[in-house]
Amino acid sequence: MPAILRAWLGTPRIWLDFRRKRFWVVALFLIYTLAGYFVVPPILRHEIVVSAQKTLERPVTLDDLLIDPFALSIDLRGFHIDEPDGSLLIGFDRLYIRFSLASLVHWAWSFDDIRLDGVKGNIIRYSETDTNIGRLISAAGKSSDGTKPETDHGLMRLVVNRLKILNATATFTDHARANPFQTLIGPVTVEIGRFSTLPQRTGEQHILVEMEGGATLEWTSEFGLNPLISAGHVSAKGPYPALLTRYFGDAIKISAPTGSVDAGLDYRLRERPDGVLALTVEHVGLAISDLALHEQGAAAPFLTLPELRLAGGHLAWPEKKAGADALAISGATLALRRQEDGQLGPAPWLAAPQPAVAPAPQPTTATAPPGMDWAVSLGKVEVKNAKARFEDQAIGEPGKIEISSFDLAVDSLSNTSGAEFPFSLAAGMETGGLIKMQGRFSILPDLRLDAKLTASDLRIAAAQAYLHDMARLTIDDGRFDGETDVKLREGGLSVAGHGEIRGVKLRDEVENTPVLSWDRLGVDRYEFRQATNELQISQVTIGGSYLRFRVAEDQSTNFDHIMVGRNKSSPDARQAGRAGRAKPTVPGEAAGAAPPLKVSVGKIVIAKGTADYGDASLPLPFAAHISDLQGEVATLASASSSPARVTLRGQVGEFGQVKIDGSLTPFNPGKSTKINVLFRNVEFPGLSPYTVKFAGRRIAKGRLDVDLQYSIDEGKLNGANRVVIRDMELGEKLDVPGAMDLPLELAIALLKDQDGKIDVDLPVSGNLNDPQFDIGSVISKATFNLLTNLITSPFRALAGLLGGGDDALDHIDFAPGRAVLDPPEKEKILHLARALEMRPHLGLVVPGVVDPDVDRIQLQLDALDARMARELGDRNTVKRQRQLLEQLFEERIGKEQLESLTQPAPHSREGTGDSGAALDEPTYVAALRGRVATTEPIGEAGLASLAQARAEAVVGALKLIPGFDPQRVSLRGSTTAQAGDDGAIPLKLDAASTSGGD
């Protein structure tokens, strides 16, 4: 050993001889080793940091850099690229790269192993096109002078035998959304083998990405880059709905949903020799299970989807083919609603959409829509056991429509032009009934549909909430059956069919009584064409109908409280309605507006209808029953100016009848309407409640015929109402507040002829366009005016019977202080007697009459003249009259007054030149007579005797007329009157019924 040691100790001298090759070999080895382990790592670490900071324009840190020169590896640890604010942008814990000497053989960068561990990143999206990664790439792509270098499109020759990325995570933040979104992606594991850019080389990869909530994305494939080829399998599993909902939370107002997704596909991507990429996707499968979507703040989900399966999906590019074998949805439930602002569908759950911008007008050149060159198909679509609920909050009381079962099947869907697809649909309603639809439809070149829609046993009660929005009515019963052929073409929708609504019963919720019903309302056939906006109905038949109409004590009707928000009695409501009548819609009036709906009905037939009418506002409650109402309304057409014919017949009471005939323009009644309503043989006593309210009298006996004829021309109403009452007798009088205080018996006596019949024509007129017009008020006013005119001017009516038009028969004139009939007055009494013969139930009342002032003066003068005649006898000269009158004047008035009476009347003596004054004796005597007459004692008894004498003079004259019944004349106490301009005293006659009473 010492010898060997000595030999070795001697050897170093040889190694240290720089003239020997072994020296340089050792030197180079030492330099390589020292440089690799100690010199190059700090320099390279520094250069990496400086260069990265300069290039990326961001702070860069690298904790350590190790090089193994013998293993040909480099190990970077603690690498970080930070944002200017110091936050982490991207980094990793360790990057291990081991080179391969095969690089010399392949003339390519070759690596045996690349491992990246602990990658961390913060990906931030600032706007639609701006991200922090994009900014980083943009900075790295610039050259030192700030310009972008030319891009080299050639592939770098690269070979990586093994590449692994372990424990990679990234925080993704999106500030581009209204509500910033953030999630953690990772851990991510990537394993790649035999990665190469060399020609005809392939490798394998496996990528597994885990996301929040346990969702995963897995990608396994074989791939090559030169040429490009990739084939493998992609799958996604886990609670993706919750993740997507959170990301789109600013647009979709849905709380975190439940449910999971299981999707997968096989694909093959290759670059063809012509440079075109070809993609084939097969075995696409999608399964969504236990999905439940909740509106924010709602406990119950609006969509539950137990199972959705898409099977056999496929896609081919560039062949542009895509499709699937089947899509099946089972057990889904959907809840929709229309909210108060009228928005429908997903609006309650989606953010408010941006206002749509009207597209610019485009040329009408026919071009295929984008994507229509793809061939898309779906073998079968099935929806089974689905349920739906629709809630309408836009009406007063939220309404609900529930579909308890919904099944849909569609076969062979595709976008092939002209292809038709058979389908069938069945929906069972929760309230009862079934809707079915079966037929075929096509999508291209335009949407077309040929189907038959049937509805059976649908409960009308499903529309209860919508009825409540208009009326306080409860639908107790009612069902709908119908069958409709539905066609959709390029010109629009057209439907044709028939149906009936049967057994409808509507109950007044306020009074809890039936108000409207019918056994059957059938439509024989209807047709609607959207192209012409026209609805044609052949015949509507209403059988077994019933209507209840009541007037309450406050004069409101049961329909006033039934109708919601539509008080017909309010002036505003009436004015609004009349305003609507005043200006009918004119077709084409609005420029560019759609044509108005044209409606035509061949005939409406009413059979076996009944009605109950009652009026509790009357002092005596009234009720009437109309039975066996039948008839028809023929040919109603909104586009025609020809009126529709109306014919109705019904029974009133036991033996009465009502007939309605005429014509009307149903869609514009104010334009042209002629209606004749005829009541025959109606028992008048049944109408006593109305006479009691009107005049405070019952009707004891009588029958009534009424003929009402109304015509309306351009809003102007003309009516001729003829009322014939036979054998009418009044009953007892009742004290009714508000009743007219009129002598009704007198009016009847004035109207009743020799046969005991009252025949009255009552014309009415008005303008329907006048907001104040009301037909009821017009008729009531006309009736009141008729009776008032009769009662206040009965002798005018009597004069009219004789062909005269004045009211001269109502008084007899007498001279002051006289009770003698002059010849003209005798003729007047004769005419009056003849008129009374034409009204046998009318009597005459003759009062005594005086004018106390005028008649008293005349009676005083007559009394004074009689005294002077007695006392003077045959010596009745002016001189003796003067002496007697002066004596009476001094006795009754006074001598002083007599002296003053002589002063005002002096005059010159005749035949003398004496200017002295003398009394005008005749004038003086006349003055004395007037003054003294006022002292004659004519009292009230004298006036009463004069009044009585005048009345007896009239009665006596009537009794002298042959055939006149003296019993029809009665005397009445004295009244006062005022002399007319001619000085005559009028004796005003009164009329009265011979049956007594008023």
Side-chain angles (χ1 to χ4, degrees):
M1 285 298 297
I4 295 175
L5 181 58
R6 283 195 301 272
W8 183 84
L9 291 174
T11 302
R13 296 190 183 99
I14 299 175
W15 290 96
L16 296 175
D17 186 357
F18 66 87
R19 290 172 295 186
R20 295 180 180 273
K21 293 180 180 181
R22 68 182 65 182
F23 171 81
W24 294 107
V25 171
V26 173
L28 289 174
F29 176 77
L30 292 175
I31 292 172
Y32 174 76
T33 302
L34 293 174
Y37 280 108
F38 302 106
V39 178
V40 175
I43 296 174
L44 183 58
R45 172 180 172 275
H46 176 75
E47 287 299 322
I48 290 174
V49 171
V50 172
S51 177
Q53 289 185 152
K54 182 178 180 182
T55 302
L56 302 178
E57 301 175 350
R58 283 165 178 76
V60 176
T61 59
L62 180 59
D63 294 344
D64 199 4
L65 187 148
L66 301 176
I67 295 178
D68 188 339
F70 301 105
L72 300 179
S73 66
I74 182 171
D75 195 348
L76 284 75
R77 301 185 179 182
F79 180 79
H80 290 248
I81 301 174
D82 297 329
E83 295 284 11
D85 61 0
S87 60
L88 175 67
L89 174 59
I90 192 169
F92 52 81
D93 294 338
R94 183 187 182 197
L95 173 61
Y96 177 78
I97 303 174
R98 183 159 63 89
F99 293 89
S100 173
L101 294 176
S103 300
L104 301 175
V105 177
H106 301 301
W107 197 245
W109 290 98
S110 300
F111 302 91
D112 281 337
D113 194 9
I114 297 178
R115 284 179 291 174
L116 184 61
D117 195 3
V119 176
K120 295 181 179 63
N122 285 313
I123 304 172
I124 302 176
R125 183 170 176 254
Y126 302 107
S127 66
E128 296 291 337
T129 59
D130 185 17
T131 65
N132 59 346
I133 301 298
R135 294 177 183 179
L136 181 68
I137 295 173
S138 177
K142 297 179 182 178
S143 61
S144 59
D145 58 0
T147 62
K148 293 185 178 181
E150 295 184 2
T151 303
D152 183 9
H153 295 287
L155 288 175
M156 176 188 297
R157 293 176 63 84
L158 179 66
V159 176
V160 179
N161 290 327
R162 289 182 303 277
L163 171 62
K164 287 187 177 182
I165 300 176
L166 304 173
N167 300 317
T169 60
T171 300
F172 174 70
T173 305
D174 192 345
H175 291 289
R177 310 205 67 79
N179 298 319
F181 171 81
Q182 188 176 74
T183 187
L184 177 66
I185 301 175
V188 178
T189 302
V190 179
E191 295 185 12
I192 300 176
R194 302 193 308 276
F195 177 84
S196 176
T197 62
L198 301 183
Q200 307 302 323
R201 298 291 182 92
T202 61
E204 306 92 21
Q205 71 170 13
H206 177 260
I207 300 175
L208 178 62
V209 180
E210 299 182 29
M211 288 171 281
E212 67 174 63
T216 62
L217 175 65
E218 190 170 8
W219 180 13
T220 302
S221 69
E222 293 184 357
F223 69 96
L225 297 178
N226 192 8
L228 180 62
I229 183 173
S230 179
H233 181 78
V234 180
S235 65
K237 297 181 180 180
Y240 275 93
L243 179 62
L244 294 174
T245 300
R246 212 166 64 77
Y247 179 70
F248 293 104
D250 58 338
I252 303 177
K253 303 303 182 183
I254 298 174
S255 59
T258 61
S260 62
V261 173
D262 188 352
L265 60 86
D266 295 329
Y267 77 95
R268 181 176 179 81
L269 177 68
R270 62 186 177 87
E271 183 179 3
R272 298 193 314 195
D274 58 2
V276 177
L277 290 177
L279 174 64
T280 301
V281 179
E282 296 178 332
H283 308 124
V284 177
L286 171 65
I288 301 176
S289 58
D290 301 325
L291 177 66
L293 301 182
H294 294 72
E295 184 182 359
Q296 288 183 355
F302 68 85
L303 174 64
T304 60
L305 190 59
E307 184 178 31
L308 180 149
R309 288 190 178 276
L310 178 71
H314 54 271
L315 180 145
W317 174 269
E319 292 83 358
K320 295 185 178 180
K321 293 182 180 180
D325 293 339
L327 173 64
I329 300 174
S330 179
T333 62
L334 177 64
L336 301 177
R337 74 168 180 257
R338 184 174 69 146
Q339 56 190 22
E340 294 181 1
D341 58 4
Q343 291 191 14
L344 185 64
W349 311 298
L350 297 185
Q354 296 297 323
V357 179
Q362 299 294 328
T364 57
T365 305
T367 57
M372 286 297 101
D373 52 348
W374 276 77
V376 181
S377 63
L378 183 56
K380 189 175 185 63
V381 177
E382 286 186 319
V383 178
K384 295 182 178 180
N385 299 322
K387 297 181 180 180
R389 183 177 72 254
F390 173 75
E391 182 177 359
D392 196 340
Q393 298 178 343
I395 56 179
E397 174 185 321
K400 293 182 180 180
I401 298 177
E402 297 189 40
I403 299 176
S404 58
S405 63
F406 179 85
D407 296 313
L408 172 66
V410 185
D411 291 333
S412 305
L413 276 173
S414 74
N415 65 342
T416 303
S417 180
E420 293 186 341
F421 319 112
F423 76 96
S424 62
L425 176 152
M429 308 305 294
E430 182 69 24
T431 55
L434 182 65
I435 298 175
K436 290 184 178 181
M437 192 173 188
Q438 189 168 4
R440 307 177 71 86
F441 72 94
S442 62
I443 302 174
L444 296 175
D446 53 73
L447 184 62
R448 298 169 66 90
L449 172 67
D450 285 280
K452 182 179 291 295
L453 175 66
T454 60
S456 58
D457 210 32
L458 291 183
R459 301 300 196 272
I460 306 301
Q464 179 68 71
Y466 292 93
L467 180 60
H468 270 171
D469 203 38
M470 299 180 292
R472 297 181 179 91
L473 293 173
T474 296
I475 304 175
D476 286 335
D477 199 1
R479 304 183 183 188
F480 172 75
D481 294 316
E483 186 175 282
T484 304
D485 293 324
V486 183
K487 295 183 182 295
L488 180 63
R489 298 289 187 269
E490 186 176 0
L493 177 70
S494 63
V495 297
H498 60 86
E500 71 172 17
I501 304 175
R502 50 190 170 81
V504 171
K505 295 180 181 179
L506 302 181
R507 176 167 44 87
D508 182 345
E509 294 179 349
V510 178
E511 298 180 355
N512 196 30
T513 54
V515 66
L516 179 65
S517 67
W518 63 79
D519 295 337
R520 179 181 180 271
L521 190 155
V523 178
D524 287 357
R525 181 169 178 81
Y526 60 86
E527 295 182 6
F528 171 76
R529 295 182 180 89
Q530 185 182 13
T532 58
N533 201 20
E534 184 176 5
L535 173 63
Q536 295 181 343
I537 299 175
S538 61
Q539 178 172 311
V540 177
T541 303
I542 305 174
S545 61
Y546 170 76
L547 174 66
R548 179 179 180 270
F549 188 86
R550 288 290 187 271
V551 180
E553 291 184 7
D554 60 357
Q555 297 187 347
S556 65
T557 71
N558 56 335
F559 283 88
D560 287 335
H561 66 247
I562 286 174
M563 304 309 293
V564 175
R566 293 172 175 83
N567 188 350
K568 302 297 184 183
S569 62
S570 68
D572 293 341
R574 291 198 301 266
Q575 183 169 351
R578 291 166 189 137
R581 292 197 303 258
K583 191 175 185 302
T585 303
V586 178
E589 185 175 21
L597 176 66
K598 300 177 184 177
V599 180
S600 64
V601 181
K603 184 187 296 184
I604 299 176
V605 177
I606 300 174
K608 296 183 179 180
T610 59
D612 282 323
Y613 175 81
D615 194 339
S617 68
L618 305 172
L620 301 176
F622 172 73
H625 180 72
I626 299 175
S627 60
D628 198 21
L629 182 65
Q630 53 189 330
E632 65 180 44
V633 180
T635 315
L636 288 77
S638 61
S640 174
S641 59
S642 299
R645 178 173 52 84
V646 179
T647 303
L648 293 173
R649 300 289 184 270
Q651 180 175 337
V652 180
E654 186 176 3
F655 300 109
Q657 184 184 34
V658 59
K659 297 180 180 180
I660 302 174
D661 295 286
S663 62
L664 59 87
T665 306
F667 299 95
N668 188 6
K671 181 177 178 61
S672 177
T673 295
K674 292 183 178 180
I675 294 294
N676 182 20
V677 182
L678 189 64
F679 287 90
R680 285 286 181 266
N681 204 37
V682 177
E683 290 286 349
F684 211 153
L687 301 178
S688 283
Y690 291 98
T691 61
V692 167
K693 180 178 181 180
F694 188 73
R697 297 295 294 270
R698 288 181 183 268
I699 301 297
K701 182 182 178 182
R703 291 183 179 273
L704 176 71
D705 294 341
V706 180
D707 190 352
L708 310 177
Q709 297 182 12
Y710 290 96
S711 66
I712 302 173
D713 186 11
E714 299 296 339
K716 295 181 179 179
L717 169 71
N718 287 296
N721 301 323
R722 185 182 181 189
V723 181
V724 178
I725 306 173
R726 297 185 303 276
D727 303 324
M728 179 178 175
E729 294 182 8
L730 289 176
E732 69 270 24
K733 187 173 183 179
L734 301 178
D735 185 12
V736 179
M740 291 190 305
D741 187 14
L742 294 176
L744 189 59
E745 287 183 333
L746 173 60
I748 294 174
L750 286 166
L751 292 172
K752 189 179 293 187
D753 62 13
Q754 296 95 323
D755 298 327
K757 182 175 68 175
I758 297 175
D759 192 337
V760 178
D761 289 325
L762 193 67
V764 296
S765 63
N767 190 345
L768 298 182
N769 298 327
D770 183 357
Q772 302 302 321
F773 177 81
D774 182 79
I775 184 62
S777 299
V778 169
I779 295 176
S780 297
K781 184 177 180 181
T783 304
F784 178 80
N785 290 340
L786 171 66
L787 296 180
T788 302
N789 290 335
L790 282 173
I791 295 168
T792 57
S793 303
F795 294 95
R796 184 192 299 265
L798 291 175
L801 295 176
L802 300 175
D806 55 41
D807 58 349
L809 298 182
D810 69 340
H811 68 278
I812 304 297
D813 290 334
F814 287 91
R818 302 290 179 266
V820 178
L821 290 171
D822 294 331
E825 305 309 308
K826 292 180 179 180
E827 182 185 17
K828 188 184 298 184
I829 291 174
L830 180 61
H831 291 164
L832 180 60
R834 292 177 181 173
L836 289 173
E837 288 178 2
M838 303 175 69
R839 288 293 181 261
H841 298 279
L842 184 66
L844 189 67
V845 178
V846 182
V849 64
V850 292
D851 182 336
D853 296 330
V854 175
D855 281 330
R856 187 188 300 275
I857 292 173
Q858 186 61 49
L859 290 176
Q860 287 175 326
L861 289 172
D862 290 345
L864 179 61
D865 290 342
R867 179 172 183 171
M868 291 172 61
R870 286 194 310 271
E871 294 187 9
L872 297 177
D874 56 359
R875 296 175 297 170
N876 194 359
T877 63
V878 174
K879 181 177 181 179
R880 290 189 177 277
Q881 289 179 0
R882 172 184 174 183
Q883 292 173 350
L884 178 58
L885 290 173
E886 285 178 341
Q887 179 185 351
L888 294 174
F889 193 100
E890 290 179 0
E891 292 174 356
R892 297 179 182 180
I893 300 174
K895 188 175 182 180
E896 305 85 21
Q897 297 292 330
L898 181 61
E899 292 177 354
S900 64
L901 187 64
T902 61
Q903 300 301 321
H907 72 280
S908 299
R909 296 177 182 270
E910 293 185 3
T912 68
D914 189 357
S915 60
L919 290 177
D920 183 349
E921 195 166 19
T923 303
Y924 175 61
V925 169
L928 284 173
R929 178 173 176 265
R931 291 291 301 275
V932 173
T934 60
T935 63
E936 285 294 322
I938 301 299
E940 295 300 323
L943 293 175
S945 296
L946 177 62
Q948 183 68 19
R950 287 171 173 170
E952 291 176 351
V954 174
V955 173
L958 284 170
K959 290 180 178 180
L960 295 176
I961 298 175
F964 184 80
D965 184 4
Q967 299 299 323
R968 297 177 63 184
V969 182
S970 61
L971 294 174
R972 193 168 62 189
S974 300
T975 61
T976 61
Q978 186 175 357
D981 293 337
D982 59 354
I985 311 299
L987 184 150
K988 287 284 186 179
L989 300 172
D990 285 335
S993 172
T994 57
S995 60
D998 300 344

